[in-house]
PDB file of all heavy atoms in Angstrom:
ATOM      1  N   TRP A 470       6.914  54.786 -25.046  1.00 97.00           N
ATOM      2  CA  TRP A 470       7.380  54.488 -23.674  1.00 97.00           C
ATOM      3  C   TRP A 470       8.274  55.628 -23.179  1.00 97.00           C
ATOM      4  O   TRP A 470       8.099  56.133 -22.070  1.00 97.00           O
ATOM      5  CB  TRP A 470       8.134  53.161 -23.666  1.00 97.00           C
ATOM      6  CG  TRP A 470       8.630  52.721 -22.309  1.00 97.00           C
ATOM      7  CD1 TRP A 470       9.522  53.373 -21.502  1.00 97.00           C
ATOM      8  CD2 TRP A 470       8.241  51.544 -21.593  1.00 97.00           C
ATOM      9  NE1 TRP A 470       9.732  52.669 -20.335  1.00 97.00           N
ATOM     10  CE2 TRP A 470       8.960  51.542 -20.375  1.00 97.00           C
ATOM     11  CE3 TRP A 470       7.387  50.479 -21.885  1.00 97.00           C
ATOM     12  CZ2 TRP A 470       8.834  50.513 -19.431  1.00 97.00           C
ATOM     13  CZ3 TRP A 470       7.264  49.460 -20.948  1.00 97.00           C
ATOM     14  CH2 TRP A 470       7.976  49.476 -19.738  1.00 97.00           C
ATOM     15  N   GLU A 471       9.229  56.033 -24.001  1.00 97.00           N
ATOM     16  CA  GLU A 471      10.140  57.106 -23.601  1.00 97.00           C
ATOM     17  C   GLU A 471       9.398  58.434 -23.477  1.00 97.00           C
ATOM     18  O   GLU A 471       9.674  59.231 -22.563  1.00 97.00           O
ATOM     19  CB  GLU A 471      11.282  57.226 -24.608  1.00 97.00           C
ATOM     20  CG  GLU A 471      12.210  56.027 -24.643  1.00 97.00           C
ATOM     21  CD  GLU A 471      12.835  55.751 -23.282  1.00 97.00           C
ATOM     22  OE1 GLU A 471      13.180  56.709 -22.561  1.00 97.00           O
ATOM     23  OE2 GLU A 471      12.963  54.561 -22.923  1.00 97.00           O
ATOM     24  N   LEU A 472       8.467  58.689 -24.380  1.00 97.00           N
ATOM     25  CA  LEU A 472       7.700  59.937 -24.326  1.00 97.00           C
ATOM     26  C   LEU A 472       6.891  60.021 -23.046  1.00 97.00           C
ATOM     27  O   LEU A 472       6.912  61.040 -22.341  1.00 97.00           O
ATOM     28  CB  LEU A 472       6.771  60.017 -25.541  1.00 97.00           C
ATOM     29  CG  LEU A 472       5.847  61.248 -25.593  1.00 97.00           C
ATOM     30  CD1 LEU A 472       6.655  62.531 -25.732  1.00 97.00           C
ATOM     31  CD2 LEU A 472       4.854  61.106 -26.749  1.00 97.00           C
ATOM     32  N   PHE A 473       6.174  58.955 -22.703  1.00 97.00           N
ATOM     33  CA  PHE A 473       5.349  58.956 -21.492  1.00 97.00           C
ATOM     34  C   PHE A 473       6.220  59.064 -20.238  1.00 97.00           C
ATOM     35  O   PHE A 473       5.880  59.761 -19.288  1.00 97.00           O
ATOM     36  CB  PHE A 473       4.503  57.684 -21.415  1.00 97.00           C
ATOM     37  CG  PHE A 473       3.443  57.588 -22.487  1.00 97.00           C
ATOM     38  CD1 PHE A 473       2.736  56.422 -22.670  1.00 97.00           C
ATOM     39  CD2 PHE A 473       3.171  58.660 -23.331  1.00 97.00           C
ATOM     40  CE1 PHE A 473       1.771  56.319 -23.658  1.00 97.00           C
ATOM     41  CE2 PHE A 473       2.210  58.575 -24.324  1.00 97.00           C
ATOM     42  CZ  PHE A 473       1.504  57.393 -24.490  1.00 97.00           C
ATOM     43  N   THR A 474       7.352  58.378 -20.248  1.00 97.00           N
ATOM     44  CA  THR A 474       8.261  58.449 -19.100  1.00 97.00           C
ATOM     45  C   THR A 474       8.748  59.874 -18.886  1.00 97.00           C
ATOM     46  O   THR A 474       8.766  60.381 -17.756  1.00 97.00           O
ATOM     47  CB  THR A 474       9.467  57.509 -19.317  1.00 97.00           C
ATOM     48  OG1 THR A 474       9.009  56.162 -19.423  1.00 97.00           O
ATOM     49  CG2 THR A 474      10.444  57.603 -18.142  1.00 97.00           C
ATOM     50  N   THR A 475       9.126  60.528 -19.966  1.00 97.00           N
ATOM     51  CA  THR A 475       9.600  61.913 -19.875  1.00 97.00           C
ATOM     52  C   THR A 475       8.492  62.826 -19.362  1.00 97.00           C
ATOM     53  O   THR A 475       8.732  63.709 -18.528  1.00 97.00           O
ATOM     54  CB  THR A 475      10.090  62.397 -21.252  1.00 97.00           C
ATOM     55  OG1 THR A 475      11.104  61.513 -21.723  1.00 97.00           O
ATOM     56  CG2 THR A 475      10.659  63.808 -21.169  1.00 97.00           C
ATOM     57  N   TRP A 476       7.265  62.611 -19.836  1.00 97.00           N
ATOM     58  CA  TRP A 476       6.142  63.458 -19.409  1.00 97.00           C
ATOM     59  C   TRP A 476       5.824  63.252 -17.932  1.00 97.00           C
ATOM     60  O   TRP A 476       5.621  64.218 -17.192  1.00 97.00           O
ATOM     61  CB  TRP A 476       4.911  63.166 -20.252  1.00 97.00           C
ATOM     62  CG  TRP A 476       3.763  64.080 -19.944  1.00 97.00           C
ATOM     63  CD1 TRP A 476       3.604  65.372 -20.371  1.00 97.00           C
ATOM     64  CD2 TRP A 476       2.617  63.783 -19.132  1.00 97.00           C
ATOM     65  NE1 TRP A 476       2.425  65.896 -19.878  1.00 97.00           N
ATOM     66  CE2 TRP A 476       1.799  64.943 -19.118  1.00 97.00           C
ATOM     67  CE3 TRP A 476       2.213  62.654 -18.432  1.00 97.00           C
ATOM     68  CZ2 TRP A 476       0.600  65.000 -18.410  1.00 97.00           C
ATOM     69  CZ3 TRP A 476       1.008  62.703 -17.726  1.00 97.00           C
ATOM     70  CH2 TRP A 476       0.220  63.861 -17.720  1.00 97.00           C
ATOM     71  N   PHE A 477       5.798  62.006 -17.496  1.00 97.00           N
ATOM     72  CA  PHE A 477       5.491  61.728 -16.095  1.00 97.00           C
ATOM     73  C   PHE A 477       6.575  62.240 -15.154  1.00 97.00           C
ATOM     74  O   PHE A 477       6.316  62.490 -13.978  1.00 97.00           O
ATOM     75  CB  PHE A 477       5.266  60.233 -15.875  1.00 97.00           C
ATOM     76  CG  PHE A 477       3.860  59.784 -16.182  1.00 97.00           C
ATOM     77  CD1 PHE A 477       3.589  59.008 -17.297  1.00 97.00           C
ATOM     78  CD2 PHE A 477       2.807  60.153 -15.355  1.00 97.00           C
ATOM     79  CE1 PHE A 477       2.293  58.605 -17.582  1.00 97.00           C
ATOM     80  CE2 PHE A 477       1.506  59.754 -15.629  1.00 97.00           C
ATOM     81  CZ  PHE A 477       1.246  58.976 -16.746  1.00 97.00           C
ATOM     82  N   ARG A 478       7.774  62.404 -15.653  1.00 96.00           N
ATOM     83  CA  ARG A 478       8.835  63.005 -14.837  1.00 96.00           C
ATOM     84  C   ARG A 478       8.659  64.514 -14.720  1.00 96.00           C
ATOM     85  O   ARG A 478       9.385  65.171 -13.978  1.00 96.00           O
ATOM     86  CB  ARG A 478      10.199  62.719 -15.466  1.00 96.00           C
ATOM     87  CG  ARG A 478      10.720  61.321 -15.237  1.00 96.00           C
ATOM     88  CD  ARG A 478      12.181  61.255 -15.665  1.00 96.00           C
ATOM     89  NE  ARG A 478      12.690  59.905 -15.547  1.00 96.00           N
ATOM     90  CZ  ARG A 478      13.322  59.249 -16.496  1.00 96.00           C
ATOM     91  NH1 ARG A 478      13.537  59.834 -17.662  1.00 96.00           N
ATOM     92  NH2 ARG A 478      13.772  58.021 -16.304  1.00 96.00           N
ATOM     93  N   GLY A 479       7.754  65.077 -15.465  1.00 95.00           N
ATOM     94  CA  GLY A 479       7.538  66.512 -15.435  1.00 95.00           C
ATOM     95  C   GLY A 479       8.510  67.283 -16.290  1.00 95.00           C
ATOM     96  O   GLY A 479       8.687  68.493 -16.102  1.00 95.00           O
ATOM     97  N   GLU A 480       9.122  66.619 -17.267  1.00 96.00           N
ATOM     98  CA  GLU A 480      10.139  67.249 -18.089  1.00 96.00           C
ATOM     99  C   GLU A 480       9.585  67.803 -19.398  1.00 96.00           C
ATOM    100  O   GLU A 480      10.351  68.306 -20.228  1.00 96.00           O
ATOM    101  CB  GLU A 480      11.264  66.246 -18.378  1.00 96.00           C
ATOM    102  CG  GLU A 480      11.992  65.788 -17.110  1.00 96.00           C
ATOM    103  CD  GLU A 480      12.980  64.667 -17.368  1.00 96.00           C
ATOM    104  OE1 GLU A 480      13.158  64.284 -18.556  1.00 96.00           O
ATOM    105  OE2 GLU A 480      13.572  64.159 -16.400  1.00 96.00           O
ATOM    106  N   LEU A 481       8.264  67.699 -19.596  1.00 96.00           N
ATOM    107  CA  LEU A 481       7.634  68.252 -20.781  1.00 96.00           C
ATOM    108  C   LEU A 481       6.543  69.231 -20.360  1.00 96.00           C
ATOM    109  O   LEU A 481       5.678  68.886 -19.545  1.00 96.00           O
ATOM    110  CB  LEU A 481       7.012  67.135 -21.637  1.00 96.00           C
ATOM    111  CG  LEU A 481       7.969  66.180 -22.345  1.00 96.00           C
ATOM    112  CD1 LEU A 481       7.174  65.070 -23.030  1.00 96.00           C
ATOM    113  CD2 LEU A 481       8.830  66.923 -23.352  1.00 96.00           C
ATOM    114  N   ASP A 482       6.589  70.428 -20.908  1.00 96.00           N
ATOM    115  CA  ASP A 482       5.588  71.443 -20.581  1.00 96.00           C
ATOM    116  C   ASP A 482       4.375  71.275 -21.492  1.00 96.00           C
ATOM    117  O   ASP A 482       4.088  72.116 -22.354  1.00 96.00           O
ATOM    118  CB  ASP A 482       6.201  72.843 -20.724  1.00 96.00           C
ATOM    119  CG  ASP A 482       5.250  73.936 -20.228  1.00 96.00           C
ATOM    120  OD1 ASP A 482       4.308  73.600 -19.476  1.00 96.00           O
ATOM    121  OD2 ASP A 482       5.442  75.101 -20.613  1.00 96.00           O
TER     122      ASP A 482
END
Side-chain angles (χ1 to χ4, degrees):
W470 182 298
E471 294 302 322
L472 177 65
F473 293 170
T474 298
T475 303
W476 185 78
F477 276 109
R478 283 191 184 129
E480 297 173 4
L481 291 175
D482 187 18

